[in-house]
Amino acid sequence: MPRRAPYRTLAIVLTLAAVLTAGATSNVRVKQGDTLWEIAQRHHTTVAVLRQLNDLPGSGTIYVGDILKVPGATPAARPRTRVVEKGYTVRSGDNLTAIAKKYGVSVRTIQLRNKLPRSGIVVIGRRLAIPVTVTTAPATKPNSATHNAGLRIPLKVQRSAAKHRAFLGSHRQPSKATVRKLVYKTAKRIGLDPSLALAVAYHESGFQQRVVSPVDAIGVMQVLPSTARALSAAYHRKLNLLKVEDNVLAGTLLLSQLVRATGRADLALAGYYQGLGSVRSRGMLPQTHAYIRNVTVLRARFRKG
């Protein structure tokens, strides 16, 4: 049994639990008529990536109601539009058709706004108000460490993720069956319900150690390096996330601590996904509720063996 973390250190660990899978995946439900290719196109990915993320057979068969993991998360924000009025003074040789074309509006729009006669006659020197629709790009701001699309990832993190991805890809990794047994044994050893650990591990990576998210969540349990450092300090043991044994131990230790801190599996899952501090201050995000539902379904399957 690993040494129990002091309360103060545990508090730090729980704070660092913020979204171990940040930016990694989100979930979609298969609808009538969907194909794997269409889902891949909608989410700007490939069929091969979807097969790997969801452990699908080579045929790529999917069924209505299935929950699939997809890279990225929410749709990008739409451009904003607003109507502004521009002033124009009629000059010699002007006519409404030319003025309307210049500003990209209809002649009728100018007539109605300025209460002009239908004849379209305008007097030289008259000041016209031209309603013009202006489109602006959506305001952007750095996102927190959540499963938000458009996450602005620091270059340092991107390089670290690429380095870890290359390392894991160039080294032989254990099979999914081997990882599943490892998760089960590790959870039993630290006193965590194996079905919960197995469900999280499968949902996060499909029992695959090579998976590294864009924000550098590593391996089977998709643990961030910062979380691993905090766990290492709490348990006085160096945890190397590139080693599958340490990765599984880090994820199961954190999950175990979250269960102890909250007393409930659903809240522990919320903390694992969103970060316990964020859950307490903001409440559960919609995608957090979806995460809990999906892991709960998986957990029931693992309980059955």
Side-chain angles (χ1 to χ4, degrees):
M1 178 75 70
R3 182 175 176 181
R4 197 162 188 174
Y7 175 79
R8 194 164 187 174
T9 307
L10 174 57
I12 296 173
V13 171
L14 296 179
T15 301
L16 287 174
V19 195
L20 305 184
T21 54
T25 61
S26 59
N27 302 294
V28 297
R29 186 181 295 276
V30 177
K31 297 178 291 186
Q32 185 70 40
D34 273 346
T35 67
L36 205 58
W37 184 87
E38 290 169 333
I39 294 172
Q41 291 297 300
R42 284 201 298 268
H43 295 275
H44 309 290
T45 186
T46 65
V47 170
V49 169
L50 293 182
R51 283 177 176 166
Q52 182 179 19
L53 281 176
N54 296 280
D55 198 23
L56 295 174
S59 62
T61 302
I62 54 176
Y63 300 93
V64 174
D66 281 352
I67 301 295
L68 297 182
K69 289 188 287 186
V70 296
T74 55
R78 296 178 180 178
R80 298 174 181 175
T81 60
R82 59 191 177 95
V83 176
V84 298
E85 285 195 348
K86 295 190 175 183
Y88 181 80
T89 302
V90 179
R91 295 174 293 187
S92 177
D94 276 342
N95 60 65
L96 283 186
T97 301
I99 296 171
K101 184 177 181 180
K102 177 180 179 180
Y103 287 98
V105 299
S106 67
V107 170
R108 188 61 178 156
T109 296
I110 298 176
Q111 288 176 325
L112 291 173
R113 175 63 185 85
N114 296 278
K115 298 180 180 179
L116 298 175
R118 282 186 173 271
S119 63
I121 297 175
V122 287
V123 179
I124 294 173
R126 175 162 180 175
R127 187 74 173 171
L128 299 178
I130 315 293
V132 178
T133 300
V134 177
T135 302
T136 57
T140 59
K141 57 184 179 180
N143 290 321
S144 60
T146 63
H147 282 58
N148 290 336
L151 189 68
R152 290 185 175 182
I153 305 170
L155 184 59
K156 180 179 178 180
V157 175
Q158 293 181 47
R159 288 173 175 169
S160 179
K163 179 181 177 182
H164 291 149
R165 199 174 292 115
F167 178 88
L168 292 171
S170 64
H171 289 73
R172 186 174 181 178
Q173 302 301 331
S175 68
K176 296 176 185 178
T178 299
V179 171
R180 176 172 175 167
K181 291 177 182 178
L182 176 63
V183 173
Y184 181 90
K185 290 179 180 178
T186 304
K188 287 282 285 185
R189 178 162 56 88
I190 69 169
L192 176 67
D193 185 339
S195 67
L196 183 60
L198 288 166
V200 169
Y202 183 80
H203 191 282
E204 294 296 344
S205 67
F207 297 137
Q208 298 175 87
Q209 177 65 359
R210 285 192 175 93
V211 177
V212 179
S213 84
V215 294
D216 206 19
I218 299 170
V220 176
M221 302 300 286
Q222 289 288 276
V223 181
L224 291 171
S226 57
T227 302
R229 287 192 293 270
L231 286 164
S232 295
Y235 289 96
H236 306 286
R237 169 179 174 172
K238 175 69 174 178
L239 292 168
N240 182 357
L241 296 178
L242 298 175
K243 294 181 178 180
V244 68
E245 295 82 5
D246 282 6
N247 191 296
V248 169
L249 180 58
T252 52
L253 281 175
L254 178 57
L255 193 55
S256 175
Q257 294 294 359
L258 287 165
V259 171
R260 291 179 187 175
T262 62
R264 288 168 47 183
D266 60 337
L267 290 180
L269 290 172
Y272 198 93
Y273 180 92
Q274 184 182 331
L276 199 56
S278 174
V279 172
R280 287 172 173 170
S281 62
R282 302 173 59 192
M284 291 188 201
L285 301 173
Q287 54 266 47
T288 303
H289 286 287
Y291 179 85
I292 293 170
R293 288 194 298 271
N294 293 337
V295 174
T296 300
V297 170
L298 288 170
R299 187 182 183 189
R301 294 178 184 174
F302 283 116
R303 275 177 173 164
K304 293 178 181 178

